[in-house]
């Protein structure tokens, strides 16, 4: 059975990915930070549908937590086949000139440095030269990496730009280790993240400017993630799928 670890698998896009991955036969590690109830609910739903999953708490911004997360995952299910670097945060909308350095550091710590830490641990389990079987890493970027999110959250958009560059560089570096690295760039998906940005109704405000004239569902992003994780995308590495309604 192939194993998939999803950071931030308790809610939103991560939770939809966990449910779809279990349906497709993966043993799923649902990482969460604070919301144990939400993570347990996803694991229960998977088990009720005869799938295999476990919830593991870890703040992926902390090096020790990340080491424990990957060790526990390995003890339960063995070496990883897929890592989905999904967990991400947003701070309230404001102009760049008003952003405190604490806020910017917090955004980069969770959205970039934490992904670096998780990826280093995943490579240890996947790399052919380390006795692994290869694997796939799917990074969750954002269309904001290209729009820059002016007037809202340039810090967040810049962190996703870093993830795009990371995806390109790492895909070339680890190709000969049997590891493919790709990214999905969602936008305007109905999840809790917009409330964290201070505007719970953001998707509905913007939807008429989206070519497809609607917001997206987390499951529609999960479908792209699962494709990039699977052998169906075996000749893709360093590539991006925009799941953004054509915007
Ligand atoms: P969400 O609904 O707010 O869920 C965030 C998830 O990340 C939760 O499971 C949360 O865990 C987890 N998390 C946050 N900080 C963490 C930490 N330090 N350690 C471990 N887990 C942590 O977000 P979402 O909208 O699904 O977003 C998922 C990804 O898609 C993010 O990278 C986001 O930037 C990206 N994205 C989303 C959209 C969109 O429109 N929704 C658009 C573009 C990109 P708890 O449940 O424990 O809090």
């Amino acid at each position: 059975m192939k194993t998939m670890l999803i950071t931030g698998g308790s809610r939103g896009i991560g939770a939809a990915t966990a449910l779809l991955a279990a349906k497709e036969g993966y043993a799923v590690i649902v990482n969460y930070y604070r919301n144990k109830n939400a993570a347990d609910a996803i694991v229960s739903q998977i088990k009720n549908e005869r799938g295999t999953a476990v919830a593991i708490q870890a703040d992926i911004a902390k090096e020790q937590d990340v080491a424990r997360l990957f060790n526990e995952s390995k003890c339960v299910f063995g070496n990883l086949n897929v890592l989905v670097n999904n967990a991400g945060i947003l701070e309230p909308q404001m102009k760049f000139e008003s952003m405190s350095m604490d806020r910017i550091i917090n955004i980069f710590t969770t959205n970039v440095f934490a992904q670096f830490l998780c990826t280093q641990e995943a490579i240890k389990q996947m790399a052919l030269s380390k006795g692994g079987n290869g694997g796939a890493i799917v990074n969750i970027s954002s269309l904001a990496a290209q729009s820059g999110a002016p007037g809202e959250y340039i810090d967040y958009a810049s962190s996703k730009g870093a993830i795009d560059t990371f995806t390109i560089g790492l895909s070339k570096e680890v190709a000969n280790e049997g590891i493919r690295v790709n990214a999905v760039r969602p936008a305007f998906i109905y999840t809790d993240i917009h409330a964290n940005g201070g505007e719970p109704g953001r998707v509905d405000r913007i939807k008429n400017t989206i070519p497809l004239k609607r917001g997206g569902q987390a499951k529609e992003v999960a479908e792209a993630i699962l494709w990039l994780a699977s052998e169906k995308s075996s000749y893709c590495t360093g590539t991006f799928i925009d799941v953004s309604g054509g915007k």
Side-chain angles (χ1 to χ4, degrees):
M1 188 178 243
K2 287 200 166 185
T3 60
M4 176 183 290
L5 191 156
I6 304 163
T7 64
S10 47
R11 292 186 289 118
I13 292 167
T17 305
L19 294 172
L20 192 61
K23 278 205 179 85
E24 294 194 4
Y26 287 93
V28 185
I29 299 99
V30 177
N31 157 250
Y32 67 99
Y33 179 18
R34 294 192 174 106
N35 203 329
K36 182 177 188 320
N37 289 345
D40 287 345
I42 294 298
V43 169
S44 294
Q45 191 177 335
I46 289 172
K47 287 184 172 166
N48 288 341
E49 293 167 5
R50 298 180 182 282
T52 305
V54 65
I56 303 181
Q57 191 283 331
D59 175 358
I60 59 157
K62 294 203 176 107
E63 210 166 342
Q64 284 181 337
D65 277 26
V66 171
R68 177 177 50 75
L69 168 65
F70 281 79
N71 282 338
E72 279 184 29
S73 157
K74 188 171 176 171
C75 287
V76 180
F77 292 136
N79 273 345
L80 265 190
N81 298 103
V82 178
L83 167 67
V84 182
N85 275 319
N86 167 75
I89 57 166
L90 198 59
E91 294 279 351
Q93 296 161 346
M94 65 174 68
K95 287 202 167 163
F96 176 71
E97 67 201 34
S98 304
M99 290 176 188
S100 70
M101 196 43 67
D102 278 353
R103 165 189 165 128
I104 294 170
I105 289 169
N106 193 31
I107 287 284
F108 270 75
T109 301
T110 302
N111 291 1
V112 184
F113 306 145
Q115 323 304 323
F116 289 180
L117 286 172
C118 290
T119 302
Q120 285 178 335
E121 291 295 331
I123 290 170
K124 285 182 203 164
Q125 295 188 23
M126 292 175 179
L128 298 177
S129 66
K130 295 178 168 51
N133 296 315
I137 296 172
V138 183
N139 294 326
I140 310 307
S141 173
S142 169
L143 201 74
Q146 293 176 314
S147 73
E152 292 190 316
Y153 16 69
I154 286 179
D155 53 349
Y156 169 86
S158 304
S159 74
K160 295 300 186 178
I163 290 298
D164 284 7
T165 306
F166 174 52
T167 302
I168 293 165
L170 190 72
S171 68
K172 293 174 180 167
E173 190 169 301
V174 298
N176 64 356
E177 292 285 5
I179 305 171
R180 295 183 301 110
V181 187
N182 293 289
V184 174
R185 282 190 293 234
F188 322 114
I189 310 300
Y190 290 102
T191 72
D192 299 340
I193 203 168
H194 307 289
N196 300 339
E199 190 187 1
R202 180 171 181 267
V203 177
D204 284 331
R205 171 174 63 82
I206 288 171
K207 69 181 178 191
N208 284 335
T209 70
I210 300 168
L212 290 182
K213 299 287 181 222
R214 65 172 179 87
Q217 299 298 330
K219 184 167 182 293
E220 296 178 288
V221 184
E223 292 282 2
I225 295 169
L226 264 293
W227 185 76
L228 287 173
S230 77
E231 281 305 302
K232 290 177 188 168
S233 62
S234 51
Y235 199 48
C236 295
T237 197
T239 62
F240 298 82
I241 300 180
D242 292 350
V243 185
S244 57
K247 188 126 169 148

